[in-house]
Amino acid sequence: MGTPEYDAIVVGSGPNGLAAAITLQESGLSVLLIEGKDTIGGGMRTAELTLPGYHHDICSAVHPMALMSPFFERLPLADFGLKFVQPTHDAAHPLDGGRVAVLDQSVESTARQLGADGDTYRRWMGGLLESIPKLLPDLLGPLQWPAEPFRLAGFGLQALPPATWTAGKFKTAEARAMWAGMAAHSIQPLGNIATSAFGIMLMAAAHIKGWVIPVGGSQRIADTLAAYYQSLGGKIQTGWMVGSLNELPSAKAILMDVTPKQLVQIAGDRLSSSYKSRLGAYRHGPGVFKVDWALDEQIPFQREECRGAGTVHLGNTLEEIVQYERNVGNGKRGEKPFALVAQQSLFDKTRAPEGKHTAWAYCHVPNGDDRDMTDVLESQIERYAPGFRDVIKAKHVTNASAFEQYNPNYIGGDINGGIQDILQLYSRPVLSISPYRTPAKGLYICSSSTPPGGGVHGMCGYHAARQALKDIFKIEVKKA
């Protein structure tokens, strides 16, 4: 058989591919990381999409989970130059009539601005914040027997209901709207079971670590992870879009940062027919439509709180957001989308020329729907920032198909690597004791199509690498 050229190969350099490569390399293996594009990063890339000097995050922009990730937390990334900045307000949610809800890093500050719902929020979130930090290793991993089962059960009672049900805790339009905006990050109808989990985790992340922005762009996260990996002796090869496992050098373990569909395309001849059939049943969720703007000045939001927020949720009331997300989930379109706006240049001056700004916004669309949503997105911003169109210098549009062309993992524009509803929250990509292991010996899947799903946290890759180390190399890695 001969000696393999590498102990392990990782295909794909998104946050999970990088996390897998780092975990393997830290264990003393020889690892090759392969990336199909000319630059590493997956969803963590930054480029001059509009005009020279205007640096736009192509996909991920604001990072609620970056500092919450048990994997990232233990890495010396600051030693390799990674810096984060904390916005004045984590998020703001304006409503018609001049009202606004604000999510701050302080629970007290957030509660104080919710009026009659302040005490409810303070008690509810205070209780959750006692549990979530202790539960993160279980929440951000595969389904298994938890370290604290009773505490996890208590969290589940809060997280499993539909977001529309949890909204009943609140009376004011501001609190209900803010809650809907948080839960809508789940990219599915808010009447679905477990959509409350997404809202809870995002709000908790704001209070625990903040919705931080990487200085220099999301590409800096990828570059820093790569620098640390290479400092350990790891190797990277870019510009190689792997079409078959037969192309790869010999290795004892191969970890694929790809979706189930791509896994079948690349490794189908090594997979059992029953496993391929199960992968074929994997479901993708709604896509996204995104616009990047180069601006003469910052977005002229009417409310000061919005002008100081890293993220602004636009969708008015809970009822409007619920209706729009329900329509998208049913394959329909709407004229008043729930929009997520990021204002990185307000807090990171490297993003635009002096005195100028960038902005980034997206809305959810039916999977693969390429309708141009630019006008309705800009109208939704104008609704709360009259004169917005007057400050636009240039724009760049990315529809659902363009997202898939940019990153094959984003099938139909689905940036989560598969819908994260209750049926696929932990059974990603199949229901299994070890969802990362495939039937082919030495072949693993480590993408966001495995638990815990989408987001820049690296935990999917980390857990897949731990499984490979245990199976193939008989190395036990302590759980982060």
Side-chain angles (χ1 to χ4, degrees):
M1 293 290 290
T3 303
E5 295 173 69
Y6 295 93
D7 290 318
I9 294 173
V10 179
V11 177
S13 72
N16 293 305
L18 282 160
I22 288 170
T23 304
L24 294 165
Q25 192 69 42
E26 284 180 328
S27 296
L29 306 185
S30 60
V31 184
L32 173 65
L33 176 63
I34 298 173
E35 167 56 45
K37 301 290 187 179
D38 292 332
T39 58
I40 62 166
M44 304 178 296
R45 290 196 181 101
T46 305
E48 294 179 327
L49 298 177
T50 55
L51 298 172
Y54 292 81
H55 301 278
H56 305 273
D57 290 324
I58 297 176
C59 187
S60 62
V62 181
H63 296 270
M65 296 307 297
L67 298 183
M68 286 267 284
S69 166
F71 173 72
F72 286 164
E73 186 178 37
R74 68 172 182 79
L75 301 182
L77 300 184
D79 295 343
F80 289 81
L82 183 61
K83 298 179 181 178
F84 289 102
V85 62
Q86 173 69 49
T88 305
H89 305 295
D90 291 281
H93 189 126
L95 289 86
D96 292 348
R99 297 166 294 170
V100 66
V102 179
L103 179 68
D104 278 331
Q105 195 166 0
S106 162
V107 173
E108 183 59 38
S109 175
T110 304
R112 191 165 53 245
Q113 299 173 75
L114 292 177
D117 284 316
D119 287 340
T120 298
Y121 185 84
R122 190 180 293 108
R123 289 192 301 270
W124 180 56
M125 188 52 59
L128 287 166
L129 291 177
E130 289 182 8
S131 294
I132 288 175
K134 298 180 178 68
L135 293 174
L136 278 177
D138 291 317
L139 297 175
L140 297 179
L143 190 62
Q144 58 188 0
W145 187 254
E148 299 193 43
F150 296 108
R151 188 184 294 274
L152 184 61
F155 173 81
L157 291 175
Q158 302 288 338
L160 285 176
T164 48
W165 186 89
T166 301
K169 291 179 178 291
F170 304 115
K171 300 176 182 178
T172 65
E174 291 88 341
R176 290 165 60 83
M178 182 174 74
W179 168 247
M182 298 297 158
H185 282 255
S186 63
I187 316 183
Q188 58 185 293
L190 302 192
N192 284 5
I193 295 173
T195 43
S196 289
F198 294 86
I200 287 171
M201 289 301 291
L202 285 173
M203 294 164 92
H207 298 315
I208 295 170
K209 294 288 187 178
W211 288 20
V212 294
I213 295 170
V215 175
S218 292
Q219 184 73 52
R220 289 294 303 137
I221 302 178
D223 291 345
T224 304
L225 289 168
Y228 173 61
Y229 164 68
Q230 289 176 311
S231 76
L232 301 173
K235 296 182 180 180
I236 298 175
Q237 184 166 342
T238 60
W240 183 357
M241 189 65 73
V242 175
S244 169
L245 293 185
N246 297 327
E247 302 173 19
L248 300 177
S250 58
K252 296 177 183 177
I254 299 172
L255 287 79
M256 306 292 294
D257 185 4
V258 300
T259 65
K261 177 180 179 181
Q262 295 161 279
L263 183 64
V264 171
Q265 292 171 343
I266 296 170
D269 60 340
R270 302 195 192 181
L271 303 175
S272 66
S273 57
S274 62
Y275 185 72
K276 287 191 287 187
S277 177
R278 294 168 71 194
L279 292 180
Y282 190 76
R283 295 171 297 115
H284 284 275
V288 298
F289 180 95
K290 173 173 169 280
V291 183
D292 291 277
W293 294 278
L295 305 175
D296 261 328
E297 58 187 68
Q298 73 175 91
I299 299 176
F301 282 112
Q302 291 176 310
R303 289 297 302 246
E304 180 182 353
E305 295 90 338
C306 296
R307 297 195 298 272
T311 301
V312 181
H313 288 164
L314 302 178
N316 199 30
T317 62
L318 173 140
E319 289 75 17
E320 278 192 34
I321 296 170
V322 168
Q323 183 61 53
Y324 181 79
E325 296 300 319
R326 182 188 298 126
N327 286 341
V328 170
N330 291 330
K332 301 177 182 178
R333 301 168 175 174
E335 296 302 318
K336 291 184 178 181
F338 169 66
L340 298 95
V341 181
Q343 305 184 104
Q344 302 96 306
S345 65
L346 294 182
F347 312 98
D348 178 7
K349 301 306 180 185
T350 71
R351 303 300 186 96
E354 186 175 356
K356 307 301 180 182
H357 285 278
T358 61
W360 166 111
Y362 76 83
C363 63
H364 306 143
V365 297
N367 189 278
D369 190 329
D370 286 341
R371 174 194 176 193
D372 190 339
M373 298 286 285
T374 306
D375 186 61
V376 294
L377 266 179
E378 292 182 349
S379 294
Q380 195 73 318
I381 297 176
E382 283 268 354
R383 184 177 178 182
Y384 303 100
F388 168 65
R389 288 189 173 96
D390 296 335
V391 305
I392 297 173
K393 291 173 64 68
K395 68 184 73 172
H396 178 274
V397 169
T398 310
N399 62 21
S401 292
F403 263 113
E404 184 172 352
Q405 292 169 11
Y406 156 72
N407 187 337
N409 281 9
Y410 298 159
I411 293 176
D414 174 3
I415 60 176
N416 270 342
I419 190 167
Q420 289 184 250
D421 61 10
I422 189 63
L423 298 177
Q424 286 191 170
L425 194 58
Y426 284 101
S427 59
R428 306 168 68 82
V430 298
L431 183 61
S432 171
I433 294 174
S434 175
Y436 314 100
R437 186 195 292 142
T438 77
K441 184 178 180 180
L443 180 63
Y444 300 81
I445 179 170
C446 66
S447 69
S448 60
S449 297
T450 64
V456 177
H457 45 63
M459 295 300 290
C460 307
Y462 165 72
H463 285 297
R466 287 182 72 235
Q467 187 68 66
L469 286 167
K470 180 180 179 180
D471 292 347
I472 306 300
F473 303 99
K474 310 306 178 186
I475 298 173
E476 292 279 357
V477 175
K478 185 178 178 181
K479 192 174 181 180

